[in-house]
Amino acid sequence: NRVVKQIPNMITSVRIIAAIALSFVESMSVPFFIIYGLCGFTDAIDGFVARKLHAVSKFGSYLDSFSDLVFYVVMFVKVFPVMEGR
């Protein structure tokens, strides 16, 4: 039961790792979009899973916000220069 309650945080942690991985792949490449899609998918389902498992927590909320911040920073660093060059 304790491990089940951590599943949403594990999903959110995958988004943090995937966002960091985005910084190591070429912008606008196929791997970039696959990892980007994974980030979007995990962002969409972590809260849903937390509510379904009755595992909503203050820590989970902070972790989700942190993962969003990591994702946005990586996107700004990787995508802004590409868009600026067009």
Side-chain angles (χ1 to χ4, degrees):
N1 189 18
R2 230 170 157 186
V3 173
V4 170
K5 298 271 187 191
Q6 291 303 316
I7 291 173
N9 293 338
M10 290 177 201
I11 294 170
T12 303
S13 297
V14 167
R15 184 163 69 256
I16 294 169
I17 294 165
I20 292 169
L22 277 174
S23 64
F24 294 101
V25 297
E26 183 182 344
S27 296
M28 308 306 168
S29 66
V30 172
F32 180 88
F33 285 112
I34 290 170
I35 298 169
Y36 178 87
L38 176 64
C39 288
F41 178 72
T42 56
D43 191 26
I45 67 166
D46 62 353
F48 173 78
V49 171
R51 288 186 293 280
K52 286 294 181 183
L53 295 177
H54 304 286
V56 175
S57 69
K58 191 169 235 175
F59 174 76
S61 176
Y62 290 139
L63 187 64
D64 186 64
S65 295
F66 177 72
S67 70
D68 289 341
L69 176 65
V70 171
F71 177 74
Y72 294 138
V73 167
V74 170
M75 292 305 296
F76 182 78
V77 169
K78 291 295 285 189
V79 175
F80 185 73
V82 172
M83 295 301 174
E84 190 179 59
R86 289 184 180 210

